[in-house]
Amino acid sequence: MEHVPEDPEAVASSSSRGPGDLFDAASDAAAVVSVDGVVIGWTRGAEALLGYPPSEMVGASVARLPAMPDDPARIAGIRRRCRAGNGWSGLITVRHRDGRLVDVHLRVSASFRVGDDECFLVSAREPSRQWTMGQSVLDGFLTRSPLGMAVMDSELRYVWLNDTLERFGGVPREQRLGRRLSELLPGLQAESLEGLMRKVLATGVPVTDYEYGGWSWADPHRPRAYSTSFFPLVDGADTITGVCYMVMDITERWDARQLLSMVNEAGTSIGTTLDVLRTAQELADFAVPRFADFVVVDLLETVLGTDATDATDATDGTGGIRGTDGAGGQGPWPPDAALASAPPAMRRAGLCSVRDGCPEAVARIGDPVRFLPPPHDVDLLVNGDPLLVPVLDPADQAWATQEPARTARMREFGLHSLIAAPMRARNTVLGLATFARSRNPVSFGPDDVLLARELVARAAMCVDNARRYSREHTAAVTLQRSLLPPALTGGTALEVASSYRPADPAGGVGGDWFDVIPLSGARVGLVVGDVVGHGIAAAASMGRLRTAVQTLADMEMPPDELLAHLDDLVLRLSDEEAAAGTAPHSTATFIGATCLYAVYDPVTRRCRMARAGHPPPVVVTPDGQAYFPEIPAGPPLGLGGMAFESAEVELAEHSLFGLFTDGLIQGCDHDMERGMSRLAGVLCRTGEELGALCAAAVGELVPVPQPDDIALLLTRTRVLDADQVASWEVPVDPAAVGDMRARATRRLEEWGLEALAITTELIVSELVTNAVRYATPPIRLRLLRDARLTCEVADASSTAPRLRHARSTDEGGRGLFLVAQLAHRWGVRYTGDGKIIWAEQELP
């Protein structure tokens, strides 16, 4: 069944009528037709419309009336629709009694019953006569229409145009007629427009709403935008004889869309980095030439971080000037008259021009500037709206007096219009952006001020974000540098080189750390650790652990005891963090930290080490053989309840001993064993300078940024020569004290350290005397000539010495006090056989 048009109004009205209203068709021709198509009611209106009296129609078939082919499917469809209670309406042609054809609007109601018969009410009326328009009305409509209209012949020459199009183009009618568009408005996309018209001539298919930018002789310096539709002109023989086109000026809509597009584009072009200078330059680059011909961005020196003065009174505490607050109060910008007359110190941060080299600029990038458009003062920055100067006049006395250099550039390069927009973000003044036009002859207008405000607001937010990030980044890097050792030295025991690479190279902050700690007896402590996570929180945790390791190492603890104490500390700190971390995102940053601690003795060439969940160190022998010492792994720090074990290896002189974090060896495949093999292969290069070898190892193993921090500490072992060490067994006899003093003095003379003989005699005398009196044999005296002179007395007692302050009447108790006064530093360390009391002196 073909589609049956429906009149919603008829359907609604028919469905709302009751059965008694169906015969109320005062103005329509109406009839009642049974479901079989037999007329059972015929009104006078039906007789008036079609000429048939009731006597001829009642009881007859209604099929005699339609003057159109019989369509059973359509009739069946109408019947089903009306039986469903919907009704139907449409336009059909019927035959009058006199034989003429009549077009009528026909309505068929929903079915109803009259007695036992199912019936339909059918009503019809002639279509209302359409209003006819006189030629004068039509001519007035065409000529006064707000749309520009024109008729072109088959050669695309003007045949007719209305007044609106004449006004749009600015070309008189008599100059247009008989000529083509490309001859009248060169550069107006004439070829594209004529191409569209040829397509319409060839295909007969209209082209609607073609938008394009153009211009007009009526205002040749201001860009315009138009929307044009083309359709063919067809004569009685269906032959296309020409093209008619209608054009509408859509400049305002076009400009609004362009401005919106520009603002959206600015969101992706400005602020691509967290760099203040780069963001300022991106604003200048974006605005030229699409918005202005010359742009400068000047930022406060405090924003750029170049102001060495204390600006806390004039800033928000982060480098910007605070303006008016939300309650209307004035920010802390100094309101004195001197400042009001002298603009704040700024520097040129961004610069761009349509001319190569920006010759219009008085100041270059990085130069100090104090420019505010005359006669405005600092209030423009703090509280002012963007300033619009539609016409720049070089003869203006204010400009000529206050800005003579800029006035000269205005004359030279034709700068004729200006917008100066303060840069503010988060109630903080950052600087001033200035836009100017020279080659573009159109002056800035109010709409341009809105765009400038939006562009500068976006850039200001990005500058403020970059400024805050720079300050926080500087603080984080400063913290990191303060936590890592500024310079590593292994004394005479080790040659040292290191490399550190955080996971975020831009952030420069991580949780890995390493350290070289000088110990007594020319020994050196080596430590490397890894705190879970990255960033400033991990760096702060790392700093606390590094300080703890240094403190424990100074207490001369063996590696396994040191890790046990460090584990207890991490447990306590993690509990404190968890207790204090009431915020949802608070986590204990210490849990899972790893550490390896080793102590190397250059006298015995022995290295004792222990590790807490950390990879083992790598050892490369002098002949280039690499291996990883077998050390009990131990649990990561912070788990508690498990013991740490240490292991000891002997290192030949000039052995390579390397400590590292897992970020160096896990690689892209996260295979730790393969990473350790790669590391060993790189470090087996013998004869290479240690610093270069360290850098090469990191560069080869981690060629691209990794998601984990990386630390590598390489050392090359040295050994104290036999002539640098002197050792004697001490008899348990007070008379042995004098002999020990004499031996020590003679050895100092052999070493050329006679200047230390007197203090050394006193130190030896006191330490040996205490050992003979109070300690358990065997007792041994040892002198070490290293970076310092060390005197050591070892015994088999574990009793700790105690420094006392003797009274003036006491006969003893001054021994250790005297040693503390004479030595650079002193202390005690415990061994498996007892303890060693030592004292160091600076070499002359």
Side-chain angles (χ1 to χ4, degrees), residues 83 100 202 231 301 350 382 400 411 440 563 644 770 825:
R83 281 180 166 178
R100 60 187 174 89
F231 54 91
E301 288 191 340
V382 179
R411 286 197 186 91
N440 186 344
L563 291 183
F644 297 94
N770 285 343
R825 63 176 190 148

Side-chain angles (χ1 to χ4, degrees), residues 23-57:
F23 297 95
D24 185 12
S27 60
D28 290 355
V32 178
V33 181
S34 71
V35 71
D36 298 326
V38 176
V39 178
I40 60 176
W42 190 259
T43 65
R44 282 190 294 272
E47 181 181 3
L49 177 64
L50 299 179
Y52 293 98
S55 59
E56 293 184 16
M57 289 304 300

